[in-house]
Amino acid sequence: MRREPTEQEIRDQRMYVKFGLTDDEYARICTRLGRLPNYTETGVFSVMWSEHCSYKSSRKHLRRFPTQGTHVLQGPGENAGIIDIGDNLAVSFKMESHNHPTAVEPYQGAATGVGGIIRDVFTMGARPIALLNSLRFGTLDQARTRYLFSHAVEGIAFYGNCIGIPTVGGEVVFDARYAENPLVNAMCIGLMTHDQIATGHASGVGNPVLVVGAKTGRDGIHGATFASAQDPNEKERSAVQVGDPFMEKLLLEACLELIATGRVVGIQDMGAAGLTSSSAEMASRAGSGLTLDVSRVPCRETGMSPYEIMLSESQERMLVVMKEGESAIAEEIFAKWGLEATVIGRVTDDGSLRITEGERVAAELPIAALVDEAPVLDRPAVRPAYLDQLNVAPVRLSTQGDLTGDLLALVAEPTIASKEWVYRQYDTMVRTETLVRPGADAAVIGIPDSQKAIATSADGNGKYVYLNPRQGGAMAVAEAARNIVCTGARPLAVTDCLNYGNPEKPEIFYQFRESIDGMSEACEKLGTPVISGNVSFYNETGGQDIYPTPIIGMVGLLEQAERLVTSAFKRGEGAVYLLAPKGQAIRDGLGGSAYLAMKRPDEALSYQLPAFDLDAEKAVQDACLALAEAGVLAAAHDISDGGLAVALAESCVQGSVGLAVAVTIAPDDEQEVLLFGESPSRILVQVRAGQEKRLKELASSFLVSFLPLGAVAETDRFHITLNEKTAIDAEVSALRDAWRGAIASWMN
Amino acid sequence: MNFIASIRVTLKESVLDPQGSAVVHALHSLSFTSVSDVRIGKYMEVSFHADDEQTARAQVSRMCDQLLTNPVIETYSFTLAEVRE
Amino acid sequence: MNFIASIRVTLKESVLDPQGSAVVHALHSLSFTSVSDVRIGKYMEVSFHADDEQTARAQVSRMCDQLLTNPVIETYSFTLAEVRE
Amino acid sequence: MNCAVLQFPGSNCDQDAVKAVAGTLSLKADLVWHETADLNAYDLIIVPGGFSYGDYLRAGAIARFSKAMQATVAAAERGAYVLGICNGFQILTEAGLLPGALRRNDHRQFRCDMVELEVVNGATDFTRAYEKARVTIPIAHGEGNYYVDDEMLKRLEENQQIVFRYASEQSPNGSVANIAGVINERGNVLGMMPHPERAVSERLGSTDGISLFRSILTSWRDGHAS
Ligand SMILES: Nc1ncnc2c1ncn2[C@@H]1O[C@H](COP(=O)(O)OP(=O)(O)O)[C@@H](O)[C@H]1O
Ligand SMILES: [Mg+2]
């Protein structure tokens, strides 16, 4: 066995720097302990005080999120949040990033991201019922991007499909900004009854502490530190883990069975920083202490040191505290599933984390120092200069455009094109409760033996946040909620995954801080508290940072599943309307739009976003929801990337119907804004046959406008007339082929 | 000259091999109880043309490094055989 | 005696190997244009104990026939090495 | 009719099968753990979809040796109905209850989709209730590429053992002769890659799986009428 460096060597050779600790932090640790930390202790501190575990850059700002609500059963701070959906039922959900591992080993990196988020949810006592993922990659003309993208998707599919949880939604954006720093954010939703709620508390002096699940190996040591390192390619390569969804499936069943016995005191998944963070956090929440003997931890490899065992990030493991004398129940249940459950220590009341190897004390650290006293930084934020150089957005790009050609090209832009190439690799139907599969605004999942269903969506637009951090943050929340109301569901709560560049740059930190304020305001206004989330910084390579990319995962509730509305236009139903803020169906130019990026790539980041108003957004969403609940809607579809024309095309393609739209606008030269502008807060609706009168009655009670657009047709023609002149005339089948085939044509 | 490279790709020692563990269990339950370990990897036969053996070797290494394996979690070894028509 | 069997499992000649053709394409696009064919199979290393080499050989064959390969579509070959501590 | 749904470590469509049996036949199917060696009480054994033993090595390769599968082989010999769905089909071929093997999909990806099937043989005990020749039933698999050699294919055709084919010209996985499901010679063991248990209500997008479950019940009743 290699000799571990001594306390003095660590200090004299500044070895702690390699662990990711600064001189300052190391000095603080020495002062706090009143002595020099040994090798294991230095390792434990370094992961607990890493950005990934301590949230040292973000903690202060995350407090501004609204987290309260009458339906919130568990807010941020646990493995996942929980909301009440009535009838003694609750849903638990959370989103998490696995960006850095994916950049190095896309298949396993993405797969283990899914595995981690599933564990977060079932530790709460919930049975996972749905997965979503939000992805960002470079552009598909790069072979490296195609490699990362295809392997990440395959890894996500591998894990979710094998474990038997349907992957029902997500989003994918391709932009050169993400070429070196792809983003993989995975979200999991679980279902439970109120009495099944479990938490990560290590309480009750003398209670046994168990490691359950997979054996511990040397994989992923220092993964947490690595997640915070600036150059993922330079970091320790051993930090990549391999996922075993089969093991996780067994672990899931065993844990739920164990929690159902009522003998579990606390349970927590071992994610980043493995045994170290799970034990410290569980003790911290309960205000207790722990003593753990690492020689009892079942290991996959021989000769593992306490340091390695404490820092291993081997997957598919949990830490469980049982009631005193009840550990045999855990052993029995786990044995049935072919798994190990091993007592490795006890709960104490001395507030310290004591790690022994047999009799020898390997580390002894105050839990408060590891968790509560972790550094909280007040990073400087400076408004980036580019924000003040943005111009007022143009309303027109071409003097004599071929708008039909533009639409066909736009629907074939990979970011806008159908993501079928992705989600047909996911088992979207297992559990036989998926009522709306991927391809619509939000997925809808039925609640077994109930009239209820939940709707869910993951959304974010980094370019918007880049162009206007505060407004962009609010718009991400608004879009997620709009996707939910388009199904007829009422938005309930939010999980977030905040992906940013290097927080040490004041301009990046400004983006972070401002966008949090924007998201907070929107969550407040829309009544959707944040119940869980995750932060990923240092998405930066060679000085280039990603767009600030907060992703919002939202869950909403449909009381009557049969009332659900889909985005496909339907034959034999009524007219199509544009639901928009009063007097503002069209406004503010092409800033931030996919159309601008396609036509004038060099100017894509030169213009301001269209204005956004939260009150107007709320009015539009309330109107949509009221119409859905009144049974007036045959279809509803949110207008987002690509604007009105793309949204109309999508609803036609999904319903296999034609369309004849005729609109009068003034002034005449705002055609492109009307067709392709990305003004927020707009929803396309198709009214049910014979319900137009009801629509008008209801509409007048909301402060919104209903602009009649036209009617669905039995033909293959997609026809838009503006001011009595044909603006777009395409075959629906041509739009469909362009939209559906685009990503596949890059990938084959 | 025509060559066939026989390439064996395995997971690095320290990397978890879930397939291998599952197969060990299955072999035990089939009463092959003397089996202590199984590692499962990929086997590839690549037929190609190169001017001489040295170039051939270098090419196979490059194929492995660039495409056929991921050095983050896998290692490989290969043998080379000349094929005469 | 301790042995390691190195087992190569490949699809039968008559069974199409779509993975192999995909890898050929990928290699071509990485400008390894001299590659004419790739076959992809599995490689397994089984560590086990047996009294002598002959028994060891027989055991490996049985493991392959019973579990490690599917005779409908696959064939295998193996080499055996004795391991001394 | 007593109905069992086998449960292996890694099964994940087991509950869906139980739900489908309840929904289409109003029968309560028993979940049977893989360590059960006695299946004498059952008239229908469903080997469900999922990833038994992680599908490591080859799909279905390890599950075939379980006690429950050995009991299933015995049950098939005594004439009980055996229905293998997806991973269940893979297990049945590995166990030798059905001919052929299921390879990795030719496009090498997992594929989940609604697909159209041709009911090639509507006269089996599993398909007699079908009134139409084309049905829509979802698939979800990475290894559904059915293989038999030419000789076996001829035999399957002659014996009318091909029960379902993918209806589109291009199969979703590369299967020989577009085969989606086959039955044994005796006619009591059916394996199919598509998931009939996912096509049992309008809210799931198809009801074309119902007739399959109904056929089995009707056949069983006929067999027990005398
Ligand atoms: N990575 C993914 N995984 C699963 N489904 C996806 C993924 N990306 C996109 N989808 C699905 O494709 C549809 C369209 O996505 P998107 O273009 O983001 O829609 P919107 O603009 O309405 O949010 C949605 O149903 C979404 O769930
Ligand atoms: Mg949408």
Side-chain angles (χ1 to χ4, degrees):
Chain A
M1 209 170 84
R2 265 173 301 139
R3 187 187 68 87
E4 282 179 356
T6 64
E7 285 88 334
Q8 288 73 22
E9 283 167 351
I10 294 169
R11 180 192 57 195
D12 298 344
Q13 299 170 25
R14 294 178 64 233
M15 296 176 85
Y16 51 83
V17 175
K18 267 222 198 99
F19 286 75
L21 290 167
T22 63
D23 290 329
D24 245 21
E25 287 167 347
Y26 180 73
R28 271 185 56 194
I29 293 166
C30 297
T31 314
R32 177 65 169 84
L33 295 180
R35 60 179 169 86
L36 299 182
N38 67 23
Y39 189 72
T40 304
E41 291 170 333
T42 310
V44 167
F45 263 108
S46 73
V47 293
M48 288 307 294
W49 285 18
S50 71
E51 186 67 60
H52 198 82
C53 290
S54 73
Y55 286 81
K56 59 186 159 192
S57 301
S58 56
R59 196 139 45 129
K60 179 166 169 258
H61 300 280
L62 297 178
R63 289 190 195 120
R64 291 202 296 282
F65 279 136
T67 57
Q68 310 282 311
T70 48
H71 56 293
V72 176
L73 299 178
Q74 174 66 59
E78 274 285 349
N79 292 298
I82 304 176
I83 50 172
D84 186 7
I85 58 166
D87 298 344
N88 194 36
L89 294 167
V91 291
S92 174
F93 58 93
K94 185 176 184 223
M95 180 155 39
E96 200 162 77
S97 66
H98 238 215
N99 306 335
H100 304 287
T102 301
V104 182
E105 214 311 300
Y107 183 90
Q108 294 295 347
T112 49
V114 174
I117 196 63
I118 294 171
R119 282 196 299 285
D120 272 330
V121 165
F122 74 75
T123 25
M124 300 307 294
R127 174 166 288 277
I129 59 169
L131 292 166
L132 294 92
N133 56 87
S134 176
L135 312 176
R136 298 290 181 279
F137 292 94
T139 50
L140 287 176
D141 54 357
Q142 302 294 311
R144 168 102 188 136
T145 294
R146 294 196 296 272
Y147 161 78
L148 290 171
F149 172 54
S150 63
H151 283 72
V153 167
E154 231 180 276
I156 292 167
F158 157 71
Y159 212 103
N161 296 350
C162 183
I163 198 166
I165 304 167
T167 303
V168 298
E171 46 154 22
V172 194
V173 171
F174 302 94
D175 191 299
R177 279 287 174 123
Y178 302 101
E180 301 291 330
N181 290 278
L183 305 183
V184 170
N185 294 180
M187 172 172 166
C188 181
I189 305 173
L191 176 68
M192 69 211 316
T193 55
H194 288 197
D195 50 303
Q196 284 166 337
I197 295 176
T199 57
H201 281 69
S203 42
V205 176
N207 281 338
V209 180
L210 294 85
V211 169
V212 304
K215 286 186 167 46
T216 300
R218 289 196 171 87
D219 25 359
I221 290 172
H222 268 289
T225 321
F226 143 44
S228 316
Q230 293 183 27
D231 187 351
N233 298 309
E234 265 178 25
K235 74 178 130 75
E236 278 280 313
R237 302 205 128 167
S238 74
V240 174
Q241 312 112 27
V242 168
D244 183 357
F246 170 58
M247 171 69 82
E248 179 130 320
K249 165 77 173 158
L250 304 179
L251 186 62
L252 154 69
E253 298 299 341
C255 285
L256 291 180
E257 197 174 323
L258 184 65
I259 291 168
T261 62
R263 315 282 171 83
V264 173
V265 173
I267 177 166
Q268 162 135 352
D269 109 273
M270 289 196 212
L275 189 50
T276 295
S277 70
S278 53
S279 57
E281 285 172 16
M282 282 183 83
S284 166
R285 287 192 200 106
S288 64
L290 288 175
T291 170
L292 308 176
D293 179 356
V294 293
S295 71
R296 297 207 222 157
V297 175
C299 289
R300 201 174 74 225
E301 300 176 68
T302 51
M304 287 185 67
S305 67
Y307 168 83
E308 289 172 325
I309 294 172
M310 288 306 292
L311 269 68
S312 160
E313 292 191 359
S314 288
Q315 299 285 297
E316 291 93 23
R317 300 178 302 158
M318 301 275 221
L319 195 65
V320 179
V321 177
M322 295 292 291
K323 289 185 178 159
E324 191 163 6
E326 308 271 31
S327 56
I329 294 173
E331 285 157 21
E332 211 173 283
I333 289 175
F334 276 73
K336 171 184 158 196
W337 291 98
L339 300 173
E340 285 182 275
T342 313
V343 176
I344 62 158
R346 284 177 300 106
V347 177
T348 62
D349 60 359
D350 60 5
S352 78
L353 177 62
R354 177 202 311 233
I355 298 152
T356 67
E357 185 181 33
E359 296 294 300
R360 185 180 79 85
V361 175
E364 183 153 17
L365 298 168
I367 282 164
L370 292 173
V371 183
D372 312 322
E373 296 161 31
V376 176
L377 302 177
D378 206 352
R379 294 208 184 269
V382 172
R383 184 176 162 87
Y386 74 83
L387 285 175
D388 297 315
Q389 289 153 14
L390 299 176
N391 304 309
V392 172
V395 293
R396 175 151 213 175
L397 296 179
S398 47
T399 40
Q400 197 180 31
D402 166 16
L403 296 171
T404 301
D406 285 352
L407 177 59
L408 282 162
L410 198 53
V411 297
E413 283 287 314
T415 296
I416 291 181
S418 165
K419 305 306 181 301
E420 190 181 330
W421 186 89
V422 174
Y423 58 71
R424 73 183 179 188
Q425 298 184 54
Y426 301 152
D427 189 339
T428 56
M429 308 182 210
V430 61
R431 296 192 70 263
T432 55
E433 290 291 350
T434 310
L435 308 185
V436 176
R437 296 197 296 271
D441 286 318
V444 179
I445 302 130
I447 303 296
D449 308 316
S450 148
Q451 304 289 313
K452 295 177 199 271
I454 56 168
T456 179
S457 170
D459 291 279
N461 187 321
K463 203 198 299 165
Y464 289 177
V465 183
Y466 177 84
L467 292 172
N468 188 334
R470 191 166 187 134
Q471 180 180 325
M475 284 167 74
V477 177
E479 188 186 341
R482 224 180 304 127
N483 282 328
I484 301 282
V485 299
C486 282
T487 67
R490 185 172 296 278
L492 287 181
V494 159
T495 182
D496 65 70
C497 199
L498 309 179
N499 308 276
Y500 293 80
N502 183 348
E504 294 162 29
K505 294 182 186 165
E507 288 80 8
I508 299 295
F509 206 70
Y510 177 90
Q511 296 171 338
F512 177 71
R513 206 190 62 189
E514 287 294 301
S515 55
I516 285 196
D517 284 334
M519 286 181 266
S520 301
E521 287 157 10
C523 286
E524 199 80 63
K525 172 62 74 179
L526 300 175
T528 53
V530 174
I531 62 160
S532 57
N534 175 255
V535 181
S536 168
F537 280 130
Y538 298 104
N539 294 289
E540 172 207 32
T541 299
Q544 170 83 299
D545 298 273
I546 60 162
Y547 291 131
T549 313
I551 304 296
I552 299 296
M554 195 176 282
V555 171
L557 179 66
L558 256 161
E559 289 289 348
Q560 298 286 328
E562 67 212 25
R563 276 286 157 88
L564 82 86
V565 179
T566 65
S567 57
F569 287 157
K570 289 156 193 86
R571 270 165 228 276
E573 299 284 6
V576 174
Y577 289 81
L578 174 63
L579 178 52
K582 194 123 204 137
Q584 295 187 323
I586 319 158
R587 37 177 212 197
D588 290 353
L590 292 163
S593 67
Y595 183 70
L596 175 64
M598 178 178 82
K599 300 284 280 188
R600 303 262 178 88
D602 298 342
E603 296 171 40
L605 300 177
S606 309
Y607 301 103
Q608 288 164 9
L609 292 180
F612 174 66
D613 178 75
L614 270 171
D615 289 308
E617 174 74 41
K618 175 85 169 120
V620 166
Q621 292 194 17
D622 286 348
C624 182
L625 206 48
L627 293 171
E629 282 170 354
V632 176
L633 299 185
H637 185 25
D638 156 50
I639 296 175
S640 61
D641 296 13
L644 174 67
V646 166
L648 286 168
E650 286 171 346
S651 286
C652 285
V653 167
Q654 283 164 3
S656 302
V657 294
L659 184 74
V661 160
V663 181
T664 309
I665 51 166
D668 192 29
D669 63 2
E670 290 194 351
Q671 296 191 14
E672 286 164 301
V673 183
L674 174 74
L675 295 172
F676 303 119
E678 296 181 11
S679 282
S681 316
R682 298 182 302 161
I683 296 174
L684 276 181
V685 295
Q686 183 189 15
V687 69
R688 279 198 185 285
Q691 298 279 343
E692 310 235 351
K693 213 170 127 240
R694 295 254 333 265
L695 176 87
K696 282 172 189 145
E697 283 164 17
L698 276 165
S700 58
S701 62
F702 293 93
L703 288 171
V704 296
S705 77
F706 285 87
L707 177 70
L709 293 178
V712 164
E714 292 276 341
T715 62
D716 189 35
R717 281 237 93 67
F718 181 86
H719 196 270
I720 299 181
T721 309
L722 296 181
N723 294 353
E724 286 164 23
K725 279 189 301 231
T726 292
I728 290 181
D729 186 9
E731 282 165 359
V732 175
S733 50
L735 287 165
R736 181 196 60 213
D737 294 347
W739 182 69
R740 286 185 58 185
I743 292 182
S745 74
W746 278 110
M747 300 309 294
N748 293 340
Chain B
M1 291 162 79
N2 292 320
F3 293 92
I4 290 192
S6 300
I7 308 169
R8 294 168 298 276
V9 182
T10 48
L11 288 170
K12 284 182 181 169
E13 278 286 347
S14 60
V15 173
L16 173 73
D17 176 12
Q19 292 215 60
S21 335
V23 172
V24 171
H25 279 129
L27 286 170
H28 285 182
S29 69
L30 285 176
S31 66
F32 293 104
T33 45
S34 75
V35 171
S36 56
D37 191 33
V38 175
R39 303 282 297 175
I40 298 195
K42 276 177 276 187
Y43 174 69
M44 307 181 205
E45 286 177 355
V46 179
S47 311
F48 66 111
H49 176 93
D51 289 341
D52 54 55
E53 198 187 311
Q54 205 186 338
T55 326
R57 260 183 206 287
Q59 272 201 31
V60 176
S61 296
R62 278 194 294 126
M63 289 182 216
C64 287
D65 293 336
Q66 286 181 34
L67 179 76
L68 302 179
T69 74
N70 184 346
V72 176
I73 51 173
E74 294 169 332
T75 55
Y76 64 88
S77 64
F78 64 88
T79 57
L80 201 62
E82 202 194 322
V83 195
R84 285 166 219 270
E85 309 303 272
Chain C
M1 290 161 77
N2 292 320
F3 294 92
I4 289 191
S6 300
I7 307 168
R8 292 169 299 276
V9 182
T10 48
L11 286 173
K12 285 183 180 167
E13 280 288 346
S14 57
V15 178
L16 209 77
D17 176 13
Q19 246 184 307
S21 355
V23 172
V24 171
H25 276 129
L27 285 170
H28 284 182
S29 71
L30 284 176
S31 68
F32 293 104
T33 45
S34 74
V35 172
S36 55
D37 190 33
V38 176
R39 303 281 295 176
I40 298 201
K42 277 179 261 188
Y43 175 69
M44 307 181 200
E45 286 177 356
V46 178
S47 310
F48 67 111
H49 178 92
D51 289 341
D52 53 55
E53 198 186 310
Q54 206 186 337
T55 327
R57 256 179 211 292
Q59 273 201 30
V60 176
S61 295
R62 278 196 293 125
M63 289 182 218
C64 287
D65 293 336
Q66 283 182 37
L67 177 72
L68 301 179
T69 73
N70 181 343
V72 177
I73 46 173
E74 295 170 331
T75 57
Y76 66 89
S77 63
F78 66 88
T79 57
L80 200 62
E82 201 194 323
V83 193
R84 287 166 218 270
E85 307 302 274
Chain D
M1 186 171 76
N2 291 326
C3 180
V5 175
L6 303 190
Q7 201 177 27
F8 302 98
S11 294
N12 62 33
C13 303
D14 43 341
Q15 302 285 357
D16 298 349
V18 170
K19 264 201 288 186
V21 168
T24 60
L25 306 180
S26 303
L27 291 178
K28 195 186 155 300
D30 293 339
L31 275 174
V32 174
W33 191 235
H34 65 108
E35 284 172 343
T36 307
D38 179 1
L39 293 173
N40 278 322
Y42 297 104
D43 309 298
L44 166 64
I45 296 161
I46 299 178
V47 191
F51 287 71
S52 55
Y53 299 90
D55 270 0
Y56 293 140
L57 193 61
R58 292 182 312 280
I62 300 179
R64 130 193 199 206
F65 293 104
S66 64
K67 288 185 184 144
M69 267 316 294
Q70 281 156 31
T72 300
V73 172
E77 273 163 19
R78 89 176 132 79
Y81 290 117
V82 178
L83 169 63
I85 301 169
C86 195
N87 193 223
F89 184 17
Q90 294 160 341
I91 296 170
L92 295 183
T93 60
E94 284 280 343
L97 281 177
L98 291 172
L102 291 142
R103 300 166 296 178
R104 187 114 188 257
N105 292 350
D106 59 352
H107 46 75
R108 291 163 296 118
Q109 290 178 348
F110 191 94
R111 180 62 45 87
C112 176
D113 224 337
M114 279 286 183
V115 299
E116 233 192 304
L117 300 178
E118 181 195 340
V119 185
V120 183
N121 185 348
T124 73
D125 284 0
F126 295 83
T127 50
R128 52 200 282 188
Y130 278 107
E131 278 164 5
K132 44 185 187 179
R134 294 225 160 179
V135 296
T136 302
I137 295 183
I139 54 162
H141 59 249
E143 296 180 35
N145 181 352
Y146 187 68
Y147 175 82
V148 278
D149 60 22
D150 293 344
E151 198 182 317
M152 181 57 85
L153 179 63
K154 235 174 98 204
R155 262 177 63 190
L156 290 179
E157 276 166 351
E158 281 165 12
N159 294 339
Q160 306 196 324
Q161 284 176 256
I162 300 168
V163 179
F164 296 108
R165 283 188 213 265
Y166 302 106
S168 69
E169 244 152 66
Q170 216 193 338
S171 88
N173 50 31
S175 288
V176 165
N178 266 352
I179 291 172
V182 294
I183 198 163
N184 64 344
E185 274 182 49
R186 180 168 170 183
N188 65 326
V189 179
L190 173 74
M192 61 193 294
M193 288 314 295
H195 285 270
E197 84 283 14
R198 297 187 183 185
V200 293
S201 82
E202 285 299 348
R203 66 185 220 148
L204 299 176
S206 169
T207 53
D208 288 345
I210 297 175
S211 292
L212 187 114
F213 294 101
R214 297 246 166 99
S215 298
I216 303 172
L217 184 60
T218 314
S219 304
W220 179 81
R221 283 201 179 125
D222 286 358
H224 288 71
S226 43

